[in-house]
Amino acid sequence: MVLNSLDKMIQLQKNTANIRNICVLAHVDRGKTTLADCLISSNGIISSHLAGKLRYMDSREDEQIRGITMKSSAISLHYATGNEEYLINLIDSPGHVDFSSDVSTAVRICDGCIIVVDAVEGVCPQVMDSWLENIHPVLVINKIDHLIVELKFTPQEAYSHLKSILEQINALTGTLFTSKVLEERAERETESQANPNSEQGEQVYDWSTGLEDTDDSHLYFSPEQGNVVFTSAIDGWGFGETFYFEITIDSPTAKGKKLLFVQLILENLWSLYDAVLKKDKDKIDKIVTSLGLKIGAWEARHSDPKVQINAICSLWLPISHAALAMVCQKLPCPLDITAQRMERLMCTGSQTFDSLPPETQALKAAFMKCGSEDTAPVIMFVSKMFAVDAKALPQNKPRPLTQEEIAQRRERARQRHAEKLAAAQGQAPLEPTQDGSALETCPKGEEPRGDEQQVESMTPKPVLQEENNQESFIAFAQVFSGVARRGKKIFVLGPKYSPLEFLRRVRIESKIFIYCFSRV
């Protein structure tokens, strides 16, 4: 499952419909980082025991010291479900409010996002970031274990608390939707008054009806729709619509009875935590046997209850499967980019898409097609440039040794040791190595040469840059069309780029070229 092959990545990129570009948004950084580690551990990049402790995406030293994410970092994950394989480009963005600029740059190049909400603290303001950039969100309510262990909620109280969180988030979503509709309606009316003869293109909303008639049910978070996952990242479990059951509270048949969600899911979780925390071995064995799980001997004998809970829950309700399955099913691929978001990317400031030159508006088709042909125009959106140490670049890192090379080094070490013993006794036998060659005897006190140097040369040495240039700039970008290759000519459009000025300059330069050519 580890996506460590460039050929595999290229193969998955050929099917654009199976690519997901997502970022993780959260107000509480700790829960977000733990969730990201759990998703990474599902690909075998880190072990499940280190998920949430290693902080794999926090590569900077100051991030590790302070325990928060300060800069966005990205990784590609391979997720297979049934007959489908997906390439998920995951961006771990900062959760602290002081680094909100990094959140904005991460959201700009993604098609969807995972909003992580703390089950104790409730709603986070990151919901607005997804709305501002017109990307699709899904919801993860994390740290439910705190409701069990710390707050001592009953299953029914936890259900009421989780339902309240969903209602608050949906209320915020409704407010944002209403304000957005009213804002776009005002812009449309202003534009129609300024250009009464202009043709009106296709709109996202039906402006002829009232706001109350607009169908916005698909915008809200609901477990029935499959866009909500309940998790405890630190304990490695999570579940979504597959395990969600509910009887309406107002239903006459449900009065005085337990909800199925409480009875079938929450009570079982509470029972497991209670058995492990009380170290009831018989009950734990009964639960593990009834679930058909096989727990390792080390986890079963461990004195830390968290280790046992993680071992059982990660096999019973793996968080990575619930979260990644929701991402693949509910978040759009690059082909599903909306015209509204595309126009927002192409326009700067108060500029409207209709005011752009025809040559620039013609790129809309390339945006929507998201083609990777050689003839397709290369369109990239670079949201951020950051400097990295030259030693951290892939081409400057030493290549890991293969098993054959390790075996060769081990054999040569044995030969050196035997040679030193023989030299100490005044003998110098020539013993063949695995490849049939013989090692020359070295004088006493000198290290052997020859094959050892050849093996060393098999490991490429880092090619560092000059001493006065130890940093390189890396672009954080998404390719919307074409293929970016080394040596290809790319036009860099800065923040103050004006397509009118650019086209005017190109026309002038082409006329000068034609005039000079005709004169020759």
Side-chain angles (χ1 to χ4, degrees):
M1 292 286 288
V2 182
L3 192 62
N4 56 2
S5 172
L6 182 59
D7 295 336
K8 184 66 176 179
M9 181 181 293
I10 295 175
Q11 180 181 356
L12 291 172
Q13 285 178 341
K14 291 181 179 179
N15 188 359
T16 311
N18 285 12
I19 295 179
R20 299 293 185 270
N21 301 312
I22 65 172
C23 60
V24 185
L25 304 177
H27 178 62
V28 181
D29 186 77
R30 179 63 183 174
K32 171 191 64 61
T33 304
T34 307
L35 174 64
D37 276 4
C38 290
L39 300 183
I40 295 171
S41 65
S42 67
N43 273 230
I45 300 176
I46 60 176
S47 66
S48 58
H49 301 294
L50 295 177
K53 302 175 183 178
L54 183 63
R55 302 184 66 92
Y56 185 84
M57 301 295 281
D58 294 341
S59 57
R60 293 163 52 105
E61 184 179 356
D62 50 358
E63 290 178 329
Q64 293 285 342
I65 294 174
R66 298 180 61 180
I68 60 175
T69 303
M70 301 169 63
K71 299 295 181 182
S72 297
S73 54
I75 193 171
S76 295
L77 303 177
H78 174 215
Y79 177 70
T81 171
N83 297 326
E84 294 290 339
E85 291 183 288
Y86 293 89
L87 174 63
I88 301 177
N89 298 314
L90 176 69
I91 299 179
D92 182 24
S93 63
H96 200 279
V97 67
D98 290 347
F99 311 105
S100 58
S101 59
D102 265 57
V103 178
S104 302
T105 57
V107 170
R108 185 64 63 90
I109 59 176
C110 291
D111 303 301
C113 66
I114 300 177
I115 299 178
V116 184
V117 174
D118 193 309
V120 178
E121 296 192 5
V123 183
C124 66
Q126 272 68 21
V127 180
M128 300 183 63
D129 293 322
S130 62
W131 273 93
L132 293 175
E133 297 299 334
N134 296 309
I135 65 173
H136 293 255
V138 291
L139 181 64
V140 171
I141 301 181
N142 192 28
K143 296 188 178 182
I144 298 181
D145 59 291
H146 287 206
L147 305 181
I148 308 174
V149 179
E150 297 179 4
L151 299 181
K152 305 295 183 181
F153 280 5
T154 64
Q156 183 62 43
E157 291 173 343
Y159 167 78
S160 301
H161 181 74
L162 295 175
K163 185 178 179 181
S164 175
I165 292 177
L166 278 175
E167 291 174 351
Q168 294 175 25
I169 296 175
N170 287 330
L172 177 59
T173 301
T175 303
L176 294 173
F177 173 75
T178 302
S179 61
K180 183 176 182 179
V181 170
L182 295 177
E183 180 182 354
E184 293 187 357
R185 176 175 295 178
E187 291 179 356
R188 177 181 171 86
E189 292 177 354
T190 303
E191 183 180 353
S192 62
Q193 293 175 2
N195 303 311
N197 298 325
S198 62
E199 297 182 0
Q200 300 296 338
E202 182 181 355
Q203 299 295 326
V204 179
Y205 307 110
D206 187 1
W207 304 100
S208 62
T209 61
L211 184 62
E212 65 278 0
D213 299 327
T214 305
D215 183 17
D216 59 348
S217 59
H218 64 284
L219 301 174
Y220 297 102
F221 299 105
S222 172
E224 295 93 334
Q225 295 186 14
N227 57 3
V228 179
V229 167
F230 304 92
T231 68
S232 170
I234 195 66
D235 290 338
W237 60 264
F239 60 89
E241 61 175 339
T242 307
F243 295 90
Y244 185 87
F245 301 92
E246 182 179 2
I247 299 178
T248 307
I249 296 179
D250 298 331
S251 174
T253 60
K255 290 183 178 179
K257 297 182 180 180
K258 292 181 180 179
L259 300 177
L260 289 180
F261 177 69
V262 175
Q263 184 178 359
L264 300 181
I265 297 297
L266 296 185
E267 287 189 354
N268 288 328
L269 282 172
W270 261 246
S271 178
L272 172 62
Y273 272 82
D274 181 70
V276 175
L277 293 176
K278 291 182 178 179
K279 299 183 179 180
D280 190 342
K281 188 177 184 304
D282 295 336
K283 190 174 182 180
I284 295 174
D285 294 340
K286 184 178 179 180
I287 293 175
V288 172
T289 303
S290 62
L291 294 176
L293 306 178
K294 294 183 179 180
I295 308 300
W298 181 81
E299 290 86 356
R301 295 193 304 267
H302 207 283
S303 59
D304 187 0
K306 283 289 185 180
V307 175
Q308 292 187 353
I309 291 175
N310 189 286
I312 297 173
C313 292
S314 60
L315 294 177
W316 176 30
L317 302 172
I319 183 176
S320 58
H321 177 75
L324 294 180
M326 177 178 64
V327 166
C328 296
Q329 295 171 8
K330 298 301 177 181
L331 295 185
C333 66
L335 285 171
D336 297 331
I337 183 174
T338 61
Q340 188 178 15
R341 180 166 181 260
M342 181 275 303
E343 293 177 2
R344 179 181 176 86
L345 291 172
M346 297 184 67
C347 300
T348 58
S350 59
Q351 191 179 42
T352 61
F353 182 77
D354 296 335
S355 65
L356 297 176
E359 295 87 346
T360 306
Q361 295 187 34
L363 295 176
K364 180 178 180 178
F367 257 104
M368 305 299 290
K369 185 180 179 182
C370 194
S372 58
E373 303 85 5
D374 292 335
T375 56
V378 180
I379 302 176
M380 299 173 57
F381 187 91
V382 180
S383 65
K384 182 182 179 182
M385 297 285 291
F386 56 95
V388 298
D389 193 341
K391 298 179 181 178
L393 297 177
Q395 63 268 25
N396 293 336
K397 291 184 178 180
R399 176 178 59 85
L401 297 175
T402 63
Q403 292 297 329
E404 295 181 357
E405 293 172 346
I406 294 175
Q408 290 177 4
R409 285 196 170 191
R410 187 181 298 111
E411 182 63 24
R412 284 175 171 80
R414 293 195 187 101
Q415 294 291 341
R416 285 202 310 271
H417 181 66
E419 183 178 313
K420 288 181 180 179
L421 292 178
Q425 298 175 1
Q427 302 176 359
L430 294 179
E431 298 181 5
T433 58
Q434 287 183 345
D435 57 1
S437 62
L439 289 173
E440 296 181 2
T441 304
C442 297
K444 186 176 180 179
E446 294 186 9
E447 292 294 328
R449 302 180 180 274
D451 287 348
E452 180 64 23
Q453 290 184 345
Q454 294 177 6
V455 175
E456 293 290 344
S457 64
M458 295 173 64
T459 305
K461 304 296 183 183
V463 182
L464 299 180
Q465 300 180 2
E466 297 179 0
E467 293 296 332
N468 57 354
N469 185 18
Q470 291 294 327
E471 290 187 346
S472 298
F473 280 95
I474 302 296
F476 218 44
Q478 179 180 357
V479 181
F480 288 94
S481 175
V483 179
R485 291 188 174 91
R486 180 179 299 177
K488 202 165 189 177
K489 187 177 181 180
I490 301 292
F491 291 96
V492 179
L493 312 183
K496 296 182 180 181
Y497 164 75
S498 172
L500 289 172
E501 179 64 24
F502 174 77
L503 292 173
R504 184 186 66 82
R505 188 174 71 251
V506 170
R507 292 190 183 100
I508 292 176
E509 291 177 355
S510 61
K511 289 180 180 179
I512 294 175
F513 176 77
I514 293 174
Y515 174 76
C516 294
F517 183 80
S518 61
R519 293 284 293 179
V520 174

